Amino acid sequence: MSAVKELLLLSLVLLALEAPLCHGACVEVDSDTEAVIHEGFKLGCIYCKMRGEVDATATVNWSFKGSGDSDFSDLYLYDGVGGKIIDPRFYERLHWNGSKHTRDLQDGSIYILNVTYNDTGTYKCEFSRLLKYSNYDYQTAIEKNITINVVARLTRGMASILSEVMMYVSIIGLQFWLLVEMIYCYRKISAAGEEALRESAEEYLAIASESKDNCAGAQVAE
């Protein structure tokens, strides 16, 4: 019995440790805005689909307005099948970093290689989605502007540091809470099992005692 309890407890602990590795739902997170010269930089653009059961297709169109430009110019287009770099300033320096192997895009991020000071400016992400219901189609779209500043060294603000610390504290707290819940459930199940064994033993003893009395009565009658 003790071996079964140990195995159950070990399974619960492993489940608690594996919980943070599960994939969560789509979350719309703002892009970073500070890029370091000569390094790579991810331009984030996430547009979550609220109805996961509905089929959809999406396209993402990026445009760029440099610090010295008066208007936006087309930068990159991705249609769920492949991407195309339109702005010659980014040839061989830009890659798709969003949803892959699907036309139902939710992450439209791109990645810039070997960032230069000329990459400073505003990037516009236009996310267009076509929801396909049984009787009709419905078009939705969003537009996000991201202003990027290129610096020689990355400087993290206090708010960013505190946010990261709080994120890890929350993860650890949730993991500890899940472990406590697992132990509580294990003890409750174990107690219920022991109570059932006691009741079974008492019932067995009662039946055995009754059988013994019946045998004794039968012998006296003879």
Side-chain angles (χ1 to χ4, degrees), residues 1-12 186 189-190 193 197:
M1 185 68 181
S2 58
V4 175
K5 290 183 179 180
E6 292 177 0
L7 182 59
L8 178 59
L9 181 59
L10 179 60
S11 300
L12 294 174
Y186 163 75
I189 294 172
S190 179
L197 288 175

Side-chain angles (χ1 to χ4, degrees), residues 109-128:
S109 304
I110 55 177
Y111 193 83
I112 302 175
L113 301 171
N114 191 23
V115 171
T116 69
Y117 285 112
N118 291 330
D119 298 334
T120 300
T122 302
Y123 295 79
K124 181 191 296 183
C125 170
E126 296 174 284
F127 220 122
S128 179

Side-chain angles (χ1 to χ4, degrees), residues 68-82:
D69 299 336
S70 58
D71 202 359
F72 284 93
S73 58
D74 290 335
L75 169 62
Y76 186 82
L77 175 64
Y78 191 86
D79 60 1
V81 178

Side-chain angles (χ1 to χ4, degrees), residues 45-98:
C45 180
I46 300 176
Y47 181 27
C48 295
K49 187 176 67 174
M50 299 296 104
R51 300 289 300 273
E53 74 280 5
V54 178
D55 292 334
T57 59
T59 60
V60 181
N61 184 32
W62 284 90
S63 53
F64 172 61
K65 182 173 71 173
S67 56
D69 299 336
S70 58
D71 202 359
F72 284 93
S73 58
D74 290 335
L75 169 62
Y76 186 82
L77 175 64
Y78 191 86
D79 60 1
V81 178
K84 179 181 180 182
I85 302 174
I86 303 173
D87 193 325
R89 292 174 291 184
F90 292 87
Y91 283 166
E92 299 183 353
R93 290 200 306 121
L94 193 149
H95 296 290
W96 176 252
N97 198 231

Side-chain angles (χ1 to χ4, degrees), residues 16-17 37 41 87-88 135 170 175 191 194:
L17 294 176
I37 188 71
F41 182 76
D87 193 325
N135 297 324
S170 299
Q175 186 176 7
E194 291 176 357

